Amino acid sequence: PARAPLEGWAVASALAETVDPSTPVSLEDARAGRIFRQREVVAVGSWGIKLRLSETLSAVATNAHVSDAAVPKVDPRRRFQVGNKVDCRVLRHQGGRAVQVTLKKRLLEGAQVLDSYQLAYDTPGATYRGLVTGAADVQRGLIVTFFEGVHGRVPPDSCRKADLGPGDVVDVVVRRCALRSGSNKPRLVLALAEDDGPLFLLPSSSSSSDKDRDDDDQKK
């Protein structure tokens, strides 16, 4: 029977980085929260930068994650060139052989990783670090995004504006998480940690009524 020219062959590499156990070779090796040091920039555009994690994996840092500046987006072409080396942390898998990463130092420093709503549900009162991705106003409060696309809301009754907005990295406390079934998305309610601004919880009567509403939502 006909055989392909390389059938039965294995592709190998003698590069030092490929035999380093810390070098990722699969998406499982690039789990959310993992930090990679001194990875090479291989492409730069207005959209962000592309990094080479290994011979088999690449990563993208969008223009919202290439700077510590507290602004929604930064033009990477003013800060990076192909060949630069940077430290990064995995935010989420993008599919294929690429992952999304952040270069923000405060997100690299955060020890606790919130990468699922189940974890938030299991750890009420825990503190996590995330990125403000939604504007602050008196109706909506703050939208904070974590790893693997997990996001929650700091309601206006739990924070003051305190000059926070998209691009800021904040520490927040999990107040409660309602896990919903079917097409309904989970709801994660947060409060600012004291280090990132004034923290004041709802009065006990209001908290009880909110809990009742969450319980009703879960029953539905």
Side-chain angles (χ1 to χ4, degrees):
R3 296 173 61 90
L6 295 180
E7 185 177 349
W9 286 57
V11 179
S13 172
L15 293 176
E17 67 174 41
T18 62
V19 296
D20 183 349
S22 66
T23 299
V25 295
S26 68
L27 287 177
E28 288 72 23
D29 296 328
R31 62 190 179 278
R34 182 170 177 180
I35 297 174
F36 294 99
R37 303 292 184 185
Q38 294 299 291
R39 301 299 165 170
E40 184 179 1
V41 176
V42 296
V44 181
S46 60
W47 44 270
I49 64 174
K50 185 176 182 180
L51 305 174
R52 181 175 178 267
L53 297 184
S54 69
E55 285 191 315
T56 56
L57 288 179
S58 60
V60 172
T62 67
N63 51 16
H65 281 276
V66 295
S67 168
D68 291 318
V71 294
K73 296 179 181 179
V74 172
D75 189 344
R77 295 171 294 184
R78 299 179 180 179
R79 303 175 59 90
F80 300 96
Q81 295 180 342
V82 171
N84 288 160
K85 297 290 184 68
V86 298
D87 296 340
C88 63
R89 191 173 198 179
V90 177
L91 287 173
R92 64 187 302 179
H93 293 164
Q94 286 190 306
R97 303 298 295 176
V99 295
Q100 184 179 346
V101 297
T102 182
L103 274 58
K104 286 183 174 290
K105 291 182 180 178
R106 287 200 66 201
L107 289 180
L108 265 70
E109 296 167 353
Q112 295 274 32
V113 173
L114 180 57
D115 58 1
S116 73
Y117 290 102
Q118 183 65 54
L119 178 58
Y121 180 82
D122 292 338
T123 56
T127 300
Y128 297 99
R129 184 165 292 174
L131 178 69
V132 177
T133 54
D137 60 44
V138 294
Q139 284 80 30
R140 295 177 297 172
L142 292 171
I143 303 300
V144 181
T145 300
F146 305 93
F147 296 83
E148 291 294 354
V150 174
H151 63 275
R153 186 171 68 94
V154 181
D157 58 11
S158 296
C159 69
R160 299 174 189 171
K161 189 171 182 180
D163 296 326
L164 293 174
D168 281 304
V169 176
V170 294
D171 290 330
V172 293
V173 177
V174 174
R175 290 180 60 183
R176 60 186 177 275
C177 182
L179 298 177
R180 301 182 177 185
S181 59
S183 60
N184 294 322
K185 295 182 179 179
R187 186 173 68 172
L188 176 58
V189 181
L190 310 162
L192 288 177
E194 292 181 346
D195 290 343
D196 282 299
L199 168 63
F200 55 98
L201 300 179
L202 290 167
S204 57
S205 59
S206 298
S207 296
S208 297
S209 61
D210 278 356
K211 182 179 184 300
D212 292 340
R213 283 197 295 270
D214 282 344
D215 291 341
D216 290 340
D217 286 340
Q218 286 181 307
K219 290 177 182 178
K220 293 176 182 177

